[in-house]
Amino acid sequence: AQSVTQLDSQVPVFEEAPVELRCNYSSSVSVYLFWYVQYPNQGLQLLLKYLSGSTLVKGINGFEAEFNKSQTSFHLRKPSVHISDTAEYFCAVTKGTSGTYKYIFGTGTRLKVLA
Amino acid sequence: GAVVSQHPSRVICKSGTSVKIECRSLDFQATTMFWYRQFPKQSLMLMATSNEGSKATYEQGVEKDKFLINHASLTLSTLTVTSAHPEDSSFYICSATPIGGLGDTGELFFGEGSRLTVL
């Protein structure tokens, strides 16, 4: 079975500072990894994904993440955050993309960008 | 892009009544839809996998008689919370993937969520 761990429940950071949101996973099989963002009272929006290929993945809104197989990590980074980045961020894993595989979500990290 | 729509976005009901939440894929067909429940400041908990034309697959601990799921067509799945009680108050989110799988996108498309408040 797969599992996802997001070690930080909350991350406060000042505007224009860099940020890293951590995600570690465990799985006995190859997985696909995702980061989603959720704004208050809304559904989830895909930030970026790793399916295969380059381990450095670039997503929307200036976010990027690096897949590290040896450390089973998929940390999310942004070099300079904005107030509008304040939201809940979820890391997710699935073992297949057929459409029938379950997605397992981490517990989420609340990013709060301070002025 | 693929759009998933949920309705209603907010619903308030009295204890003991039943509430239906709809999840529609607007520009694609989905044989599989997922229903999640999210408590305040917590992650998404998968409740069930909705399969078009067959019974839903429920996760352990989810009461299938309490949370009725019907996937009537390739673009519509409904979640009915029967005899709702205050502890059923939550944010319910559905998601869907196109027929044929996620292909190169690998993306799961989410509805906007439905907030249920049971008085």
Side-chain angles (χ1 to χ4, degrees), chain A residues 34 38 41 49 97-98 103 106, chain B residues 38 43 101-102 105-106 108 115:
Chain A
F34 305 81
Q38 184 183 32
N41 294 310
K49 59 185 181 287
T97 59
S98 74
Y103 277 62
Chain B
Q38 186 179 32
S43 187
L102 302 171
T105 70
L108 194 62
R115 183 162 300 283

Side-chain angles (χ1 to χ4, degrees), chain B residues 31-51:
Chain B
T31 51
T32 304
M33 292 185 175
F34 301 94
W35 284 96
Y36 294 87
R37 182 174 181 176
Q38 186 179 32
F39 291 100
K41 298 184 180 180
Q42 293 189 29
S43 187
L44 283 73
M45 180 191 78
L46 180 64
M47 298 174 65
T49 302
S50 173
N51 305 300

Side-chain angles (χ1 to χ4, degrees), chain B residues 11-17 84-89 116-119:
Chain B
V11 57
I12 301 172
C13 69
K14 293 182 178 180
S15 185
T17 61
H85 291 286
E87 58 265 29
D88 298 324
S89 298
L116 170 63
T117 302
V118 185
L119 303 177

